[in-house]
């Protein structure tokens, strides 16, 4: 049987953050998923971290470092995915426990999901260690790390009913965001995946625009 969802994680020479990112997927409420690492040419330290999570990572897709070629390695990762539904995120993003559950529950035929992120300040990020990851998304852990939650923390601190309502009334346009978006593999393949002619900046949004032009509609889940 194929996994319910393939999580494609992009990375480049950030082994510490990738370690924390992968650790967060051990805590997911949905367990039947695979992880594909889309590695844009990282050094051996990243391979070492991935080996430590070998029971979690299905495949490490890598190519030689020849400058920014993220779009190419993402397309290779798409080809390697065994699920018909794909969730894209970055290797410096720690996933809340219900990330995969939410994307599976909200997915819809001929649509893609537009998620978001909450950015911690540098000093707080430096204080994170593995034993805090499981309970990172609550006030007490943030306080322990010396972080004062900002308004955008409503994305994980407010009740789900409020967050769902905010996604209905928000004026923010749902776009394809590389840190937290998902869609059907066949739809992404139908628009030829990521544009390999693009260099750094805008490559995620551009994919979303082509999906929309193809008739694939976006769904806003930035607060969920």
């Amino acid at each position: 049987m194929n996994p319910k969802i393939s999580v494609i994680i992009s990375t480049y020479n950030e082994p510490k953050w990738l370690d924390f990112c992968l650790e967060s997927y051990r805590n997911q409420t949905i367990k039947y998923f695979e992880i594909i690492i889309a590695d844009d040419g990282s050094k051996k330290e990243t391979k070492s971290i991935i080996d430590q999570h070998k029971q979690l990572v299905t495949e490490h897709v890598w190519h030689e470092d020849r400058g920014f070629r993220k779009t190419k390695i993402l397309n290779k990762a798409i080809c390697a995915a065994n699920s018909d539904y794909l969730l894209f995120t970055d290797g410096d993003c720690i996933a809340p426990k219900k990330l995969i559950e939410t994307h599976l529950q909200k997915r819809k035929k001929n649509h893609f999901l537009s998620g978001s992120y909450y950015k911690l300040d540098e000093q707080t990020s430096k204080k994170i260690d593995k034993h805090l990851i499981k309970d990172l998304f609550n006030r007490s852990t943030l306080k322990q790390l010396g972080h004062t939650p900002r308004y955008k923390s409503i994305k994980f601190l407010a009740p789900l009913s409020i967050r769902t309502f905010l996604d209905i009334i928000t004026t923010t346009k749902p776009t394809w965001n590389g840190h937290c978006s998902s869609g059907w593999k066949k739809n992404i393949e139908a628009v030829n995946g990521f544009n390999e002619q693009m260099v750094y900046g805008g490559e995620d949004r551009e994919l979303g625009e082509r999906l929309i032009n193809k008739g694939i509609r976006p769904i806003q889940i930035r607060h969920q």
Side-chain angles (χ1 to χ4, degrees):
M1 293 179 62
N2 288 339
K4 291 182 179 179
I5 188 170
S6 298
V7 183
I8 296 178
I9 302 175
S10 62
T11 191
Y12 176 70
N13 284 329
E14 292 286 1
K16 175 184 176 180
W17 303 123
L18 181 62
D19 187 21
F20 290 171
C21 170
L22 290 172
E23 186 68 24
S24 69
Y25 284 91
R26 298 182 185 277
N27 306 316
Q28 293 296 304
T29 55
I30 297 292
K31 301 299 183 182
Y32 194 51
F33 61 90
E34 70 172 3
I35 290 179
I36 310 290
I37 304 294
D39 187 347
D40 193 18
S42 298
K43 297 178 182 179
K44 61 182 181 180
E45 290 82 4
T46 292
K47 176 64 164 55
S48 177
I49 291 297
I50 293 171
D51 287 344
Q52 293 176 31
H53 295 274
K54 60 184 179 181
Q55 293 181 329
L56 193 64
V57 176
T58 300
E59 189 161 352
H60 177 202
V61 182
W62 179 92
H63 61 196
E64 187 179 352
D65 185 0
R66 295 180 183 171
F68 185 86
R69 296 192 294 158
K70 180 181 177 182
T71 51
K72 290 186 177 183
I73 202 65
L74 283 172
N75 283 338
K76 291 178 182 178
I78 290 169
C79 292
N82 294 300
S83 173
D84 60 1
Y85 197 75
L86 312 178
L87 167 61
F88 292 78
T89 187
D90 292 329
D92 59 355
C93 293
I94 294 175
K97 298 175 185 178
K98 292 189 176 182
L99 180 71
I100 290 177
E101 179 181 339
T102 300
H103 278 267
L104 286 175
Q105 287 180 345
K106 297 291 181 177
R107 64 181 174 171
K108 187 177 180 181
K109 183 179 180 180
N110 291 328
H111 288 73
F112 71 84
L113 300 178
S114 175
S116 186
Y117 69 102
Y118 179 79
K119 190 172 184 178
L120 292 174
D121 59 90
E122 183 178 2
Q123 293 304 313
T124 300
S125 297
K126 288 180 177 179
K127 296 177 184 177
I128 297 174
D129 57 39
K130 280 190 177 182
H131 82 275
L132 292 174
I133 289 174
K134 185 176 182 180
D135 298 309
L136 181 62
F137 297 92
N138 60 56
R139 291 184 186 278
S140 59
T141 302
L142 292 176
K143 183 178 180 181
Q144 181 180 343
L145 291 169
H147 179 74
T148 301
R150 302 183 299 275
Y151 167 75
K152 289 184 178 180
S153 66
I154 197 171
K155 294 174 183 177
F156 55 90
L157 293 179
L160 179 59
S161 58
I162 293 176
R163 294 187 282 122
T164 302
F165 178 69
L166 289 173
D167 278 335
I168 294 172
I169 66 171
T170 183
T171 57
T172 301
K173 180 182 177 181
T175 55
W176 186 278
N177 305 314
H179 46 258
C180 186
S181 288
S182 63
W184 299 95
K185 183 176 181 179
K186 66 178 182 180
N187 293 154
I188 296 169
E189 290 179 333
V191 298
N192 296 319
F194 288 87
N195 184 348
E196 296 186 5
Q197 293 181 328
M198 295 190 71
V199 293
Y200 181 78
E203 67 277 359
D204 298 311
R205 296 289 182 92
E206 194 267 352
L207 170 64
E209 291 300 317
R210 284 188 284 114
L211 286 168
I212 292 170
N213 291 341
K214 189 73 173 177
I216 310 303
R217 312 311 300 173
I219 296 175
Q220 183 68 272
I221 60 165
R222 64 183 288 108
H223 293 95
Q224 297 173 64

